Amino acid sequence: MSITAWAFVFLVISNCFMTLAWYGHLKFLHDAPIWQAILFGWAIALLEYSFMIPATRWLDAQGWSLGQMKISQEVMTLIVFVPFMIYLFKQPFKMDYLWAGLCLLGCVYFVFRSQNA
């Protein structure tokens, strides 16, 4: 598997941890004191960064710009967040999530098109 593919695998894993760190306390620590929710989030965020940092370094080494990395990360965030929201948090799916995803694909197009010009 290429280094870029590994970077994307790491981005998916990182986003799973990020989503859990940001929103998991609402599901698992709803009645806990805020300090416990913060510590929960920080502990999980450490795992997130353990995957995010290598992924961004690998993409940087492949010549990706910061904009390309950020937009790609946002796409990964939506890809990970929607299933988490539906299956873990039992939120209904809305077509607006599909439209948001299509808008992000437009972002991907614009941030990568200058690469070919």
Short mmCIF file of all heavy atoms in Angstrom, two decimals, residues 1-7 9:
data_model
loop_
_atom_site.label_atom_id
_atom_site.label_comp_id
_atom_site.label_asym_id
_atom_site.label_seq_id
_atom_site.Cartn_x
_atom_site.Cartn_y
_atom_site.Cartn_z
N MET A 1 0.86 -1.18 0.00
CA MET A 1 0.00 0.00 0.00
C MET A 1 0.91 1.25 0.00
O MET A 1 1.91 1.28 0.70
CB MET A 1 -0.90 -0.03 1.24
CG MET A 1 -2.12 0.82 1.11
SD MET A 1 -3.55 0.43 2.17
CE MET A 1 -2.93 0.50 3.80
N SER A 2 0.51 2.26 -0.75
CA SER A 2 1.32 3.47 -0.86
C SER A 2 1.27 4.30 0.43
O SER A 2 0.36 4.15 1.25
CB SER A 2 0.84 4.33 -2.03
OG SER A 2 -0.39 4.95 -1.71
N ILE A 3 2.22 5.19 0.57
CA ILE A 3 2.27 6.06 1.75
C ILE A 3 1.04 6.97 1.80
O ILE A 3 0.52 7.26 2.89
CB ILE A 3 3.58 6.87 1.80
CG1 ILE A 3 3.82 7.47 3.18
CG2 ILE A 3 3.62 7.96 0.75
CD1 ILE A 3 4.19 6.47 4.22
N THR A 4 0.54 7.40 0.64
CA THR A 4 -0.67 8.22 0.62
C THR A 4 -1.88 7.42 1.10
O THR A 4 -2.70 7.94 1.85
CB THR A 4 -0.91 8.77 -0.80
OG1 THR A 4 0.25 9.52 -1.21
CG2 THR A 4 -2.13 9.66 -0.86
N ALA A 5 -1.97 6.16 0.69
CA ALA A 5 -3.07 5.31 1.16
C ALA A 5 -2.99 5.12 2.68
O ALA A 5 -4.01 5.19 3.37
CB ALA A 5 -3.05 3.98 0.44
N TRP A 6 -1.77 4.88 3.19
CA TRP A 6 -1.60 4.75 4.64
C TRP A 6 -2.01 6.04 5.35
O TRP A 6 -2.63 6.00 6.41
CB TRP A 6 -0.16 4.38 5.01
CG TRP A 6 0.10 2.92 4.92
CD1 TRP A 6 0.90 2.28 4.01
CD2 TRP A 6 -0.46 1.90 5.75
NE1 TRP A 6 0.86 0.93 4.24
CE2 TRP A 6 0.04 0.66 5.30
CE3 TRP A 6 -1.35 1.90 6.82
CZ2 TRP A 6 -0.30 -0.55 5.89
CZ3 TRP A 6 -1.69 0.69 7.41
CH2 TRP A 6 -1.17 -0.51 6.95
N ALA A 7 -1.67 7.17 4.75
CA ALA A 7 -2.05 8.45 5.35
C ALA A 7 -3.57 8.55 5.46
O ALA A 7 -4.10 8.99 6.50
CB ALA A 7 -1.49 9.61 4.53
N VAL A 9 -5.72 6.03 5.61
CA VAL A 9 -6.15 5.09 6.65
C VAL A 9 -5.99 5.72 8.02
O VAL A 9 -6.88 5.67 8.87
CB VAL A 9 -5.37 3.76 6.54
CG1 VAL A 9 -5.58 2.89 7.78
CG2 VAL A 9 -5.75 3.00 5.28
#
